[in-house]
C-alpha cells in the first residue's frame, strides 16, 4: 500500500468530533456509574481514583473534588508527552467525572447487592469506560496517562502498569482498612485491570 493510500485510509477511519464527543461521554458515564457501586459498598479501588476514594473516606471530603485536585499535577506530563489534544480531553473527562460522581447519588439509589457481584460490576463498567476513553484519545488523567505513555514507548500493557501500582496502593490500604474491605476491593481492581489488559491494544484499534 502506498503512502498516499495509507494516509487516505487513516483519514477515512479517523473519528469525527461528534463521534469522539459521544464516545468520551459514554466512557465517563460508565466510569461514574461503576463508582456508584464501589462507594455504595464502601470499598476501595486502585489508581488515582483509589487515592481519591481513600482520602475521601478518611477525611469526609467529597470524592469529586479530591479526584479533580489529585489529577492536576499529571496534566503537565500529559501535555509534554501526549500532546495538547489528549491533555484537554483528559481534563474534560476528569472534570465531567468529578461533577457526575457528585450528581448521581442524588438521582439513583442502590439497594442490597452482594459485595462480590458489586465489585465485578464495578470493575467491568469502569474497565469498559476506560477502554472507550482510550479509544477516543482521552483518559481520566493520573496513572492512566503514565500507563498509556509506558505502553506506547515500551510495549508494556497499560493494564499491567496499573495493576502494579494497585498492588502498592492496596498494600498501604491493608494497614488502614479491615481485611474484608481490602479483599473485595482487590477483586474489583483485578477485574478492572484485566478488562483493560486483555482489550487495550493499539494494533487492534484501526480508527485511532
Amino acid at each position: 500500500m502506498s503512502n498516499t493510500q495509507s494516509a487516505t485510509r487513516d483519514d477515512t477511519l479517523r473519528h469525527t468530533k461528534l463521534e469522539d464527543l459521544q464516545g468520551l461521554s459514554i466512557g465517563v458515564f460508565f466510569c461514574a456509574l461503576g463508582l456508584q457501586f464501589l462507594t455504595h459498598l464502601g470499598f476501595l479501588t486502585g489508581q488515582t481514583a483509589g487515592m481519591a476514594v481513600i482520602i475521601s473516606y478518611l477525611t469526609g471530603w467529597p470524592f469529586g473534588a479530591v479526584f479533580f485536585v489529585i489529577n492536576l499535577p499529571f496534566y503537565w506530563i500529559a501535555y509534554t508527552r501526549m500532546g495538547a489534544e489528549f491533555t484537554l480531553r483528559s481534563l474534560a473527562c476528569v472534570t465531567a467525572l468529578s461533577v457526575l460522581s457528585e450528581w448521581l447519588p442524588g438521582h439513583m439509589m442502590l439497594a442490597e447487592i452482594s459485595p462480590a457481584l458489586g465489585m465485578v460490576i464495578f470493575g467491568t463498567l469502569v474497565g469498559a469506560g476506560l477502554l472507550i476513553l482510550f479509544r477516543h484519545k482521552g483518559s481520566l488523567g493520573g496513572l492512566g496517562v503514565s500507563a498509556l505513555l509506558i505502553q506506547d514507548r515500551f510495549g508494556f500493557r497499560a493494564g499491567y502498569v496499573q495493576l502494579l501500582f494497585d498492588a502498592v496502593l492496596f498494600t498501604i490500604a491493608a494497614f488502614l482498612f479491615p481485611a474484608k474491605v481490602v479483599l473485595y476491593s482487590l477483586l474489583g481492581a483485578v477485574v478492572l485491570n484485566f478488562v483493560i489488559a486483555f482489550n487495550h491494544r493499539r494494533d487492534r484499534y484501526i480508527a485511532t
Side-chain angles (χ1 to χ4, degrees):
M1 182 181 292
S2 68
N3 291 336
T4 301
Q5 289 175 320
S6 178
T8 301
R9 181 175 181 274
D10 289 342
D11 289 340
T12 301
L13 294 175
R14 188 174 293 119
H15 291 301
T16 66
K17 297 297 183 182
L18 181 60
E19 289 171 339
D20 282 335
L21 178 60
Q22 64 84 32
L24 294 173
S25 299
I26 292 172
V28 169
F29 178 73
F30 276 17
C31 291
L33 188 60
L35 284 170
Q36 297 310 301
F37 284 88
L38 179 82
T39 54
H40 172 72
L41 291 167
F43 293 153
L44 313 169
T45 186
Q47 307 169 52
T48 45
M51 294 172 60
V53 168
I54 291 175
I55 293 173
S56 178
Y57 286 163
L58 294 178
T59 65
W61 297 340
F63 165 80
V66 175
F67 182 66
F68 182 84
V69 171
I70 282 180
N71 274 286
L72 291 178
F74 292 93
Y75 293 124
W76 176 247
I77 299 174
Y79 178 74
T80 57
R81 300 295 185 179
M82 309 293 284
E85 181 183 21
F86 179 85
T87 303
L88 290 174
R89 293 188 184 202
S90 297
L91 175 60
C93 290
V94 168
T95 303
L97 181 66
S98 298
V99 173
L100 195 56
S101 64
E102 298 301 320
W103 180 83
L104 275 177
H107 295 79
M108 63 178 292
M109 181 177 295
L110 296 175
E112 290 187 14
I113 182 171
S114 71
L117 177 59
M119 294 312 291
V120 170
I121 293 173
F122 157 77
T124 303
L125 281 174
V126 176
L130 289 174
L131 284 171
I132 295 172
L133 295 182
F134 296 163
R135 186 68 172 78
H136 290 272
K137 299 181 180 179
S139 78
L140 290 179
L143 182 65
V145 173
S146 302
L148 285 175
L149 176 62
I150 291 172
Q151 175 172 279
D152 290 343
R153 289 201 167 189
F154 304 106
F156 193 73
R157 292 191 183 180
Y160 295 137
V161 174
Q162 296 175 145
L163 195 60
L164 290 174
F165 178 86
D166 287 349
V168 174
L169 187 65
F170 277 101
T171 299
I172 296 173
F175 292 96
L176 300 174
F177 299 93
K180 178 180 178 180
V181 170
V182 175
L183 290 174
Y184 277 120
S185 300
L186 186 59
L187 169 64
V190 169
V191 172
L192 187 162
N193 283 298
F194 274 108
V195 167
I196 296 174
F198 282 109
N199 291 281
H200 184 64
R201 289 185 54 180
R202 290 180 64 85
D203 58 331
R204 290 177 178 172
Y205 290 171
I206 62 174
T208 41

